[in-house]
Amino acid sequence: MAIRNIVTKEDEILRKKCRPVEKFDERLWELLDDMAETMYQNDGVGLAAPQVGILRRVVVIDTGEGLIELVNPVITASSGNQEEYEGCLSCPGEFGIVKRPKKVTVKAQDRHGKTFTRDGEDLLARAFCHEIDHLEGILFLELADKIVEEKE
Ligand code: NI
């Protein structure tokens, strides 16, 4: 495993749409392992592949309930609303309030290509939305009403 460099918001790669993963091979597993290690090293709750320079639909999340690996994730259902501060490892020192669904259901594949679904509420729902946005080239900065340097 290795810690990878996290690209910051100035990098055009963060604005690009990611391609689906087609091969569930050792290269994918290495990417997933490295992304988890990089996320933990930086005290993040989520990381998307474009943040380490890879334009593939791969996400890791840990909101304190254990590591979740998502390959080719899609949100299949959402309900309710929440408004909370959000940040991003690619936008250090910037926070903004973003409206997100309170609950979401995600359908994804695991590292072996097996399809599963996972429900998330509150912070986990937010993390699902934020990371899947990254795969579409969307940063939370575009969704927040106001960006601040510290959470109020
Ligand atoms: Ni982010």
Side-chain angles (χ1 to χ4, degrees), residues 50-138:
Q51 293 182 276
V52 293
I54 307 288
L55 284 171
R56 289 287 179 179
R57 303 186 81 83
V58 177
V59 161
V60 293
I61 288 172
D62 190 340
T63 56
E65 298 170 61
L67 179 64
I68 301 171
E69 296 178 338
L70 303 172
V71 180
N72 299 328
V74 274
I75 292 171
T76 56
S78 63
S79 63
N81 285 293
Q82 57 166 318
E83 289 187 35
E84 293 292 340
Y85 274 106
E86 203 163 307
C88 179
L89 291 177
S90 292
C91 314
E94 294 186 279
F95 303 94
I97 289 178
V98 182
K99 285 179 198 164
R100 299 286 192 187
K102 178 147 177 78
K103 292 183 184 180
V104 303
T105 302
V106 171
K107 184 178 168 189
Q109 286 165 282
D110 70 12
R111 59 167 59 208
H112 303 289
K114 188 171 185 288
T115 299
F116 67 97
T117 60
R118 178 82 191 243
D119 296 323
E121 207 174 321
D122 299 320
L123 179 59
L124 184 54
R126 174 170 298 281
F128 282 149
C129 295
H130 178 110
E131 301 309 333
I132 291 170
D133 276 352
H134 271 301
L135 307 181
E136 297 298 318
I138 297 166

Side-chain angles (χ1 to χ4, degrees), residues 3-4 6 33-48 52 59-63 66-68 89 131:
I3 293 173
R4 301 207 185 187
I6 297 178
D33 290 345
D34 287 356
M35 284 173 60
E37 193 175 0
T38 304
M39 172 180 73
Y40 290 126
Q41 175 75 23
N42 290 281
D43 294 321
V45 299
L47 193 68
V52 293
V59 161
V60 293
I61 288 172
D62 190 340
T63 56
L67 179 64
I68 301 171
L89 291 177
E131 301 309 333

